[in-house]
Amino acid sequence: MGNFVLWFFLGFILASCSLRGITVSENITYMEEGFLGEMPQKQLNIFYPKKITDPLPVLVFIHGGSWRSGSKERYGVLGRRMSRREIVTVIMDYPLSPEYKIHTMGMAVAKALDWVSENISAYGGDPGRIVVSGHSAGGHLASLVAVRDVYFDSLGVRNPIAGAALIDAAGLDMYHYLKEANNAPGTSHLRTFTDDPEVWRATSPIYFLHEEMPPMIFLMGGKTYKSIREGTDRFMQAYSDFEPKPDLRIQKNKRHVPMIVQFLYTPGRAFRWVRDFVKNID
């Protein structure tokens, strides 16, 4: 984790040397303290070009950290680099475990996406072209809200997601993983997903695939964690029933953390894959 933070810090310094043409609006509250009676205040950062002629596609990025750590501040490099490529980019925070559980996180992500849908036009973004993305635990949350409308329905709003870009996503079949792990109650990921198998299943995107899903791109490291490789394989088998040619990009020599660190380098192919996917959403 120390090397991960160091790389992003160095990338931030490099990016800060050339901020021309980019506007950054920081710490915008998308959810007030006490929302739905239990939610904490949460904020997001928006990165967008200073000169915008026509509405631009939008990327909403959800950070990883095993559902218990991480923050939007670490991903300013991603926001700046994407916005220089004519993509309005939103980096969001969400409630973390163990104080908050997985359904609360899903609700917060839905609230953030609804806020973006209602407000992003003021920053040059097109509310009809919102792509949700995330790495690791963030990839899980992105996929969950992309295939399940239940969190949006609970808020009384529509699901605005037009596409999803998942970067080494964890938890695509958390039900299967937790059953196999057989952890003692209240330990490990159970602090996030609770001890209830019904919650595990309800928050596993693999069980909620359907014909009306938005298009998705999947990036996976060939040397990532075994649980992610196995979960992605299981997800692809189910997903192929709806999309016969899934857009899965495997970077065979990449481990889990380098899958997101590589986004420091704009010329990198993973950056181009996600950039092009977002720009082609209509």
Side-chain angles (χ1 to χ4, degrees):
M1 180 58 72
N3 289 337
F4 174 72
V5 175
L6 175 62
W7 273 107
F8 267 86
F9 179 71
L10 291 175
F12 174 80
I13 292 175
L14 292 172
S16 298
C17 295
S18 179
L19 296 178
R20 290 178 300 171
I22 299 300
T23 299
V24 182
S25 295
E26 298 180 295
N27 298 319
I28 300 171
T29 297
Y30 72 83
M31 185 167 67
E32 299 287 350
E33 181 81 28
F35 180 71
L36 298 181
E38 62 171 345
M39 307 286 263
Q41 182 187 69
K42 285 297 167 184
Q43 299 173 323
L44 50 78
N45 295 340
I46 306 177
F47 304 79
Y48 52 104
K50 287 185 177 179
K51 295 183 180 180
I52 299 175
T53 303
D54 298 310
L56 300 176
V58 180
L59 178 69
V60 178
F61 182 81
I62 309 168
H63 68 77
S66 296
W67 300 274
R68 62 177 181 265
S69 65
S71 71
K72 67 184 186 306
E73 280 71 31
R74 295 180 181 177
Y75 299 88
V77 175
L78 174 63
R80 288 180 173 86
R81 290 183 182 275
M82 283 292 177
S83 62
R84 288 195 183 100
R85 269 60 186 178
E86 301 288 297
I87 295 172
V88 176
T89 305
V90 179
I91 314 291
M92 62 167 288
D93 275 338
Y94 57 94
L96 298 175
S97 177
E99 185 175 2
Y100 297 96
K101 306 304 180 186
I102 191 64
H103 278 314
T104 301
M105 298 176 197
M107 194 70 72
V109 172
K111 183 71 171 69
L113 285 161
D114 181 57
W115 187 97
V116 171
S117 178
E118 292 295 319
N119 295 277
I120 204 64
S121 59
Y123 302 87
D126 183 347
R129 299 170 69 194
I130 297 173
V131 173
V132 63
S133 181
H135 169 248
S136 192
H140 164 263
L141 291 168
S143 61
L144 182 61
V145 296
V147 302
R148 292 211 70 187
D149 289 343
V150 62
Y151 298 105
F152 299 97
D153 293 343
S154 296
L155 297 176
V157 300
R158 69 174 187 87
N159 186 337
I161 296 172
L166 310 182
I167 305 166
D168 223 41
L172 296 176
D173 189 354
M174 206 64 184
Y175 176 75
H176 180 268
Y177 171 78
L178 290 173
K179 280 188 67 178
E180 292 293 310
N182 195 28
N183 294 315
T187 60
S188 187
H189 292 312
L190 299 183
R191 297 179 203 170
T192 302
F193 288 85
T194 80
D195 299 330
D196 185 353
E198 289 301 315
V199 174
W200 309 347
R201 191 181 190 283
T203 53
S204 294
I206 191 172
Y207 301 107
F208 300 94
L209 305 179
H210 56 89
E211 294 286 355
E212 302 301 319
M213 291 181 295
M216 300 185 193
I217 183 173
F218 306 84
L219 279 61
M220 186 183 76
K223 294 183 178 180
T224 190
Y225 300 127
K226 179 182 177 182
S227 60
I228 290 180
R229 295 197 308 270
E230 292 180 349
T232 300
D233 287 345
R234 290 174 60 82
F235 189 90
M236 287 299 121
Q237 291 178 23
Y239 185 73
S240 62
D241 289 341
F242 302 91
E243 176 50 67
K245 296 181 179 180
D247 192 355
L248 172 64
R249 315 290 180 95
I250 299 176
Q251 295 179 272
K252 64 180 182 179
N253 293 318
K254 283 280 192 294
R255 298 185 185 276
H256 184 60
V257 172
M259 284 298 295
I260 188 63
V261 172
Q262 68 183 319
F263 281 82
L264 288 173
Y265 306 102
T266 303
R269 58 180 180 167
F271 182 94
R272 295 196 304 272
W273 290 338
V274 173
R275 176 203 65 191
D276 293 346
F277 177 81
V278 175
K279 283 180 170 276
N280 288 329
I281 288 293
D282 55 24

